[in-house]
Amino acid sequence: MFLLIKSIEDYMLPCVIKEHFGFDCIGCGLQRSAVFFINGQFLDAFLMYPALYPMLLFFVFLIFDMFKKIEHSEKIKLGLASLILIAAVTNYILKLFVN
């Protein structure tokens, strides 16, 4: 399995904003975080990109909602999307000013 993950790392997309402007974008770290998650390094995945976990929860909810309609699903989707946005923006601000 490690060889599979290593080959995935070879195909990771570079950040265009970081290449051209020299600073991280709001999505920087998402791919590496996903690789950590797949490898079972859950804490490292969270520390790399905290919004990964709300994203995973959001996508699981979307798939579940496709098969079984849930009451107030639109409010739940909006709440999860808001949580993702808050986590991503907070992580980005901390990267800019703490590092």
Side-chain angles (χ1 to χ4, degrees):
M1 182 165 157
F2 179 72
L3 293 175
L4 173 67
I5 302 306
K6 191 63 174 166
S7 66
I8 290 174
E9 289 178 1
D10 293 337
Y11 295 100
M12 292 171 74
L13 299 172
C15 179
V16 177
I17 292 176
K18 190 168 189 170
E19 283 184 354
H20 291 302
F21 301 110
F23 58 88
D24 290 347
C25 72
I26 197 165
C28 279
L30 177 61
Q31 293 179 95
R32 288 175 287 162
S33 178
V35 170
F36 282 141
F37 183 82
I38 292 169
N39 278 330
Q41 299 169 319
F42 303 117
L43 181 60
D44 291 334
F46 177 78
L47 294 175
M48 180 63 63
Y49 196 74
L52 176 71
Y53 288 103
M55 281 182 193
L56 292 173
L57 184 61
F58 182 73
F59 289 126
V60 166
F61 181 79
L62 287 177
I63 292 168
F64 187 73
D65 189 46
M66 284 176 24
F67 296 107
K68 177 155 176 58
K69 293 300 174 194
I70 300 171
E71 189 175 343
H72 305 293
S73 67
E74 296 303 318
K75 289 181 181 179
I76 296 170
K77 290 176 194 173
L78 183 61
L80 287 171
S82 300
L83 183 61
I84 294 167
L85 183 63
I86 290 167
V89 170
T90 302
N91 181 53
Y92 184 66
I93 290 169
L94 289 174
K95 274 187 189 179
L96 284 178
F97 296 111
V98 174
N99 290 338

